[in-house]
Structures are given as C-alpha cells and as structure tokens.
Amino acid sequence: MFLNDDTFSAMAREVDNILKDVDRYMQVYRLDRIGAEKEIGRYSQLKNQAALGEKQARDWLVGQYSILLKQLYRLDDESIKEYIDFEDIERNHSRIIFEMLLDVYDLSEIIEKYQIQVRMSAEQVLEIYRAEKDIIRKHFDMAKKIKLLALLTYGREYGQDVIDTLQHHNINEIGVLDKDYIYIVYKGSKIHLQFLKFSDKGVIENIQKKTTQNSPVNYDQHNITLVAAKNNSSRITVAGYDITPTEEDYYYNERIFNLKKITLEEMRDTYRTIDELIYRFLVLNQQGRGRHFITGSDMGLGKSTFLNAMLEKVPDKWGIGILDTQNELQSRKKYPWKNIYTLIENPKRTIAECFEQMLKAARDVIYVGEITKPGEVAELINASLRLNSGVGATMHSLSPFEVVTNIRNLMMRTDMYNNAEVAESDIARGLDLVIHLAKLNCGRIVVESVVEIEYLGHEYNVGTQSGGTFKDRLSGLIDLARLAILKYLSGKPYRYNVIIQYSHGDDTWNAVNEPSRDYFDRLAKYVDRKDIEAFRDFFINGKAGGQNSELA
C-alpha cells in the first residue's frame, strides 16, 4: 500500500509556481498579460478564503489543480497509476482509499452504516471499500480520478493536509492531539482515525496558523492558545508551544457548524424528536412571543438546530435580533425572507452595547446562539423584562431543573446583580420554558421534557382576581393560595412545572401538567384566546388518555 507524500508535495509546488508566474500562466492558459495578472491575483485571494473554510473557493482551486495536473503530467488511465492505482485499489494506502470513500459518501453515512463508534482502523477502511467497491469503481471516471489526485495534491500543500476533506462533511468536530492522533466527533462520539497521520508536527502548526487568520492576534510563542472562527463559521481552538505537556503535542479542534435547516415538522414527522403535542405547544409559544431556553447536557445534541427551527416559527411580521459568537446559527442564510439582525460578539463592543444596538433596531424577539458568558444571559433576561421581548437561547445544563441555578450563578458574576433572590426572581419573571434535549441509546435525539419556570412572587390578595365570573375568581383565588403555599414551603420565588415528559419505557410523550395561567395570559397579548383554548383542549385530552400518542 503505497503513499508518496513527497510526490504530492512536488506536484503541488509545480502547480503553485505556475499560479504565481505570470509568463508561465500566460503560456498555459493562452491569456494576455493583463488577464493572467488578474487571475493570479484571484488565486492568491482564494487560497486564503479556502483556508478559512469557504468551499466554493476550495472547489475552484481544486478545479485549477485538475486542469494543470492533466496538462503538466499528461494524465490518462495508465499514467495516473504512478500516483493512485484505480485498477488494483487495495494496493493504495488506506488514506487514499478513505478519500475515495469520502468522494462517494458523506462520512456520517459511513459511520451510521458500519456502526463506527470509537475508532476506525486501516483494516476497517479496507473492509468498507470491499463492501462498496462496485459503486466506487463505477463512480471514478477519468475526470473524477484527476479530481481526486488534485484534492490530495492541494490538501498536502495548501489545504489542511490529511484532514482537509473532513471539514466539509456532516460531522461535528475534527480534532488533533499530535501528528499521530487525529479524531472526529459525530453525535457525541469521539472516533479515532487510526490510519491518518501527519508527516511531522510542523504540518499541524501550519494548519493552526492558517485557520486562525481571523483572530485579532497571531498564534505564536506569545499567544499559545487561540479561539478563532473560519469564514464558514467553524470554531477553531488551538494550543501548543509552552502550554502543552511536550513539544510534540499540538492541539487543534475544529467545531463544524454546517447546520442543516430542519423544521419542527421534520422533527415531528421524520426524526421523531417531538410529537404533535409538543409541536402545537412550541408553535403557540412562538406566536405568543414566548421566552425559552433549549438545554441539554451533551455536545452534538442539536441544540442550535432546534433553536433555528423555533426561530422559523416566529411570525414574519416581527424583527429578530441574534447575538452570536461566530454566526454559528447562520439564520439569515437559512431564512432570507425574515427580518433578522445578527451581531457577532467581538472585543470592540461589550455585550451590553450589542443588546442596546438590537433594542434600538426595534427587535421584537432576541436570540443568543449559545449562553457561555454572564453578560449574555443577564442582558437577555433584562431585555425580556424591559421590553416584553420574546427571547431564545441554547445552554448546557444537566437537567432542566438546574437551569435557574445555572443562570443565577452566571448573573451573579455581573455588575447588575449582587443578590441571589433578586436574580432568581428576575429569571422566573423573564423566562417561560426550558426545552430539554437528550440522546437515546440508539442515537436518536428527543425532547426529554418541556418545563415551565413558574413565578411565585405575586402579591396574594383578592383584588388581583376581582374581575370575571364567580368561577373565574374562585379559580384564581385557589391558584394564588396554591402558589403562596409553594413559595412558603420552598422559600424560592419560582417552581418548576413539568408540562410534557418523555417516557423512555414506551417511547411516548406524556401530558403532565397544564401550563400556568400567567403563561397563557402573556401569550394572549399576541395570540387569540380561541387558539389558546384549542390547545388546552388538546392538552387535556392527551392527559386524560394517559399519554399523547397521535404521532409519538
């Protein structure tokens, strides 16, 4: 099984020389000097864009490599065997066979089909090829053979070397610990690609520097860790030099945010992440400018995907403001018809200033891609209370019942709060729902629970319920008495009200407790009472039946 990296490097340098030399470029492409200079300038620009994750730029460069390699080396079915053997494919190095697989299938498809969970060896690559060889052989016509050679050549010299192709596949992360340890993350599982290795640690350092070009500071001996973003929103985290245990350890992590646009309808009908009851409830919440957090304890649960699906249900007549770390949601691209105003966090503006900007731009609903900083959640709750804005965010939490505590602890680290009870009270008044995601053993992701954060800090007197029929007033008094007792017993200004709970035993969602009167009253400012009552009837019917099984 052969693989000659020196050959690929030599070919890459030859191609690059042509793409830098105006005279040779004119000769190869038969252009005048002005045209050649213009295209060479474009090549230099696209190299940087491709290094920062722009797939169109990479595809253009690979196309140019294909053209030049074919001309320079007079490639045909026979001569290409010197670099890649398409006749006796098993003779190739496992890395090349792997690239062939990736040219035909998305890596996620391979992982799912062959149930790869912890590691992928050279032997497994060969076994997968043997199972798929008829399709692979049919796939590679002469043009695709040259393209594969161009991909390997480009990646070796100017791309991300052996991990270049991975960045455009439907996986969650790419990771590097040293030149001999490369892994990917898919649905929370870290999978060691044992057959992939870098030739030396210098290749890793080169990739670290190229992919962090957008950082305000350079990655070097003075800045030994960096977090940056590519143009395609992938988050790059690097570490090396003095901060790692040995000089051989160079860390690289690329978190990929090629989020697919998945609707709530698809989550209900195709993926069974939710059922009809949850679907109706969440749509009602969005139409009523509800305030919700999407939570989960694991990475790769699809919290951002779920948040985007919720965002789609915000009425088009409202303005949406998004505060994002690196445009990871890419909501404007997914929903171009919506009035979306996105600000990217950066050191030039404080989080408070970003929120102020969004509020001045008359945003009716405000989202934060992922809560990681105290200021983000404090300003989000502040916006909810001051302007009755609908709010949404994602956040890591072990369960929905730690959310108030987690938020409170973050808020107490800001200048806005120095009293825990005040912080908890504001959270309970400013946040309605926690939608908690979980992954089943089979890998399927479900909404494990929908929990209301119910505020208990009301003034308990008859005057607040003096209107309406006698039955309404009596019901209101009973509610107030119940809340007063709850507050007295718990000592907290809030309680968790479980509305819908997933049953792991029978794979259904149960209607547990109806949302509070206060929650429905808030929604009623924007939603017709008839729609609210229609949902309540549907909910009560589901509860009376013991579970909601229509689409569960």
Side-chain angles (χ1 to χ4, degrees):
M1 300 172 75
F2 69 89
L3 175 65
N4 193 333
D5 276 332
D6 291 338
T7 300
F8 289 131
S9 295
M11 295 168 73
R13 285 193 295 271
E14 179 70 12
V15 172
D16 191 54
N17 287 336
I18 293 173
L19 294 172
K20 290 178 179 176
D21 189 319
V22 175
D23 293 325
R24 292 192 68 187
Y25 198 93
M26 289 169 58
Q27 182 181 3
V28 171
Y29 286 96
R30 297 179 182 177
L31 292 173
D32 59 25
R33 181 167 291 275
I34 293 175
E37 288 175 347
K38 184 177 180 180
E39 290 203 5
I40 287 175
R42 185 185 181 205
Y43 167 69
S44 300
Q45 180 183 10
L46 288 174
K47 270 203 311 184
N48 286 333
Q49 292 176 359
L52 290 170
E54 294 188 22
K55 191 173 186 300
Q56 288 184 332
R58 178 180 182 264
D59 290 345
W60 185 88
L61 290 168
V62 170
Q64 295 304 302
Y65 270 64
S66 297
I67 293 168
L68 290 172
L69 288 174
K70 184 177 181 180
Q71 292 190 25
L72 287 170
Y73 298 94
R74 301 185 182 279
L75 294 175
D76 56 25
D77 284 322
E78 188 61 33
S79 61
I80 203 169
K81 284 184 184 179
E82 184 180 342
Y83 314 105
I84 303 174
D85 193 336
F86 287 95
E87 295 298 323
D88 186 3
I89 290 179
E90 293 187 26
R91 183 170 168 259
N92 294 290
H93 190 278
S94 50
R95 178 206 161 188
I96 292 178
I97 299 175
F98 184 62
E99 287 287 345
M100 289 180 179
L101 291 170
L102 297 186
D103 205 58
V104 180
Y105 303 104
D106 191 89
L107 182 53
S108 62
E109 296 176 281
I110 296 171
I111 293 170
E112 296 276 7
K113 184 174 181 179
Y114 293 96
Q115 298 182 341
I116 299 166
Q117 296 181 338
V118 178
R119 62 186 61 85
M120 190 175 184
S121 66
E123 291 75 18
Q124 282 178 297
V125 172
L126 200 55
E127 288 172 9
I128 295 168
Y129 160 71
R130 286 169 180 162
E132 307 289 340
K133 65 180 179 182
D134 292 340
I135 295 171
I136 292 170
R137 285 182 175 279
K138 190 180 293 186
H139 172 80
F140 281 102
D141 56 21
M142 192 59 204
K144 289 187 173 70
K145 291 176 182 178
I146 295 174
K147 179 193 170 189
L148 183 65
L149 180 62
L151 281 168
L152 292 167
T153 305
Y154 163 79
R156 179 67 186 89
E157 195 69 16
Y158 293 107
Q160 292 178 207
D161 200 73
V162 298
I163 62 173
D164 193 76
T165 304
L166 296 174
Q167 64 182 307
H168 300 295
H169 280 250
N170 186 30
I171 56 177
N172 304 115
E173 296 177 37
I174 305 168
V176 176
L177 300 183
D178 57 42
K179 71 180 183 65
D180 297 322
Y181 198 110
I182 297 167
Y183 67 95
I184 60 101
V185 179
Y186 178 69
K187 291 187 176 180
S189 295
K190 292 177 175 61
I191 301 170
H192 180 195
L193 304 178
Q194 294 176 315
F195 55 91
L196 285 188
K197 301 179 187 301
F198 296 104
S199 57
D200 58 67
K201 65 181 182 182
V203 178
I204 307 173
E205 186 178 1
N206 186 35
I207 293 169
Q208 289 175 320
K209 290 184 175 182
K210 279 191 298 191
T211 55
T212 56
Q213 292 178 58
N214 285 343
S215 172
V217 296
N218 294 325
Y219 172 66
D220 53 29
Q221 290 90 341
H222 304 290
N223 300 291
I224 54 180
T225 64
L226 272 186
V227 178
K230 285 185 172 182
N231 293 349
N232 66 350
S233 300
S234 289
R235 182 192 300 159
I236 307 298
T237 307
V238 300
Y241 302 106
D242 296 337
I243 202 168
T244 55
T246 75
E247 61 180 16
E248 298 300 319
D249 297 318
Y250 275 76
Y251 300 156
Y252 177 87
N253 180 273
E254 179 170 350
R255 189 170 181 198
I256 299 168
F257 291 96
N258 52 353
L259 300 176
K260 295 188 337 188
K261 184 178 80 172
I262 300 175
T263 64
L264 287 179
E265 289 81 4
E266 289 175 296
M267 291 183 183
R268 177 193 63 190
D269 302 336
T270 304
Y271 299 101
R272 296 188 65 241
T273 300
I274 61 176
D275 70 346
E276 178 68 12
L277 177 62
I278 299 175
Y279 173 78
R280 292 193 186 194
F281 184 39
L282 298 184
V283 170
L284 189 73
N285 180 77
Q286 295 304 83
Q287 292 173 344
R289 208 177 282 189
R291 293 95 46 104
H292 61 278
F293 273 25
I294 314 297
T295 65
S297 58
D298 297 324
M299 301 290 289
L301 278 176
K303 294 187 291 296
S304 297
T305 302
F306 204 102
L307 189 70
N308 254 329
M310 293 286 284
L311 185 148
E312 186 193 22
K313 295 303 179 184
V314 173
D316 292 346
K317 64 184 178 181
W318 290 343
I320 301 169
I322 298 175
L323 180 64
D324 214 344
T325 52
Q326 289 140 1
N327 196 27
E328 293 164 1
L329 293 177
Q330 300 184 47
S331 302
R332 186 75 178 86
K333 185 185 296 183
K334 291 178 172 63
Y335 309 112
W337 65 89
K338 286 188 174 290
N339 189 326
I340 297 175
Y341 187 109
T342 301
L343 295 179
I344 307 300
E345 286 189 37
N346 63 77
K348 298 177 183 177
R349 287 289 182 273
T350 65
I351 292 170
E353 288 171 332
C354 289
F355 272 95
E356 184 180 354
Q357 180 75 17
M358 286 194 288
L359 295 177
K360 287 182 177 178
R363 301 296 92 189
D364 302 288
V365 177
I366 297 178
Y367 277 30
V368 173
E370 181 180 9
I371 297 293
T372 58
K373 300 175 184 176
E376 293 166 339
V377 71
E379 292 294 344
L380 199 64
I381 296 297
N382 190 32
S384 173
L385 293 174
R386 282 172 54 201
L387 298 175
N388 197 35
S389 297
V391 300
T394 71
M395 181 179 179
H396 286 283
S397 183
L398 183 62
S399 82
F401 308 111
E402 279 81 36
V403 167
V404 173
T405 302
N406 291 339
I407 295 175
R408 179 203 67 198
N409 291 343
L410 284 172
M411 290 169 66
M412 292 294 289
R413 290 162 56 188
T414 70
D415 293 335
M416 296 171 64
Y417 290 91
N418 58 15
N419 182 287
E421 186 170 351
V422 171
E424 289 179 349
S425 178
D426 281 1
I427 294 164
R429 290 187 301 123
L431 185 60
D432 297 321
L433 301 178
V434 178
I435 303 157
H436 191 74
L437 304 180
K439 185 187 294 183
L440 306 181
N441 291 334
C442 63
R444 180 172 137 232
I445 295 166
V446 299
V447 169
E448 190 171 48
S449 57
V450 181
V451 178
E452 179 187 5
I453 299 175
E454 191 176 356
Y455 179 56
L456 304 180
H458 301 278
E459 292 296 328
Y460 303 106
N461 57 68
V462 178
T464 58
Q465 298 292 324
S466 59
T469 65
F470 174 76
K471 183 178 179 181
D472 287 339
R473 294 199 302 274
L474 181 61
S475 176
L477 286 170
I478 292 171
D479 284 344
L480 287 174
R482 177 178 59 86
L483 294 176
I485 293 169
L486 284 170
K487 185 179 180 184
Y488 174 77
L489 292 175
S490 69
K492 296 287 186 182
Y494 67 92
R495 76 164 186 131
Y496 291 109
N497 177 30
V498 178
I499 298 170
I500 301 168
Q501 183 71 47
Y502 176 76
S503 172
H504 289 264
D506 52 14
D507 190 24
T508 58
W509 284 268
N510 298 327
V512 181
N513 297 305
E514 209 178 329
S516 69
R517 180 188 299 270
D518 281 346
Y519 174 74
F520 283 134
D521 286 345
R522 282 195 295 275
L523 296 193
K525 295 177 182 178
Y526 306 99
V527 176
D528 194 294
R529 281 282 183 183
K530 292 180 181 178
D531 294 329
I532 293 175
E533 291 306 316
F535 169 76
R536 291 185 67 194
D537 290 341
F538 187 80
F539 184 93
I540 291 168
N541 288 335
K543 187 176 180 181
Q547 61 186 31
N548 176 49
S549 58
E550 275 201 16
L551 289 170

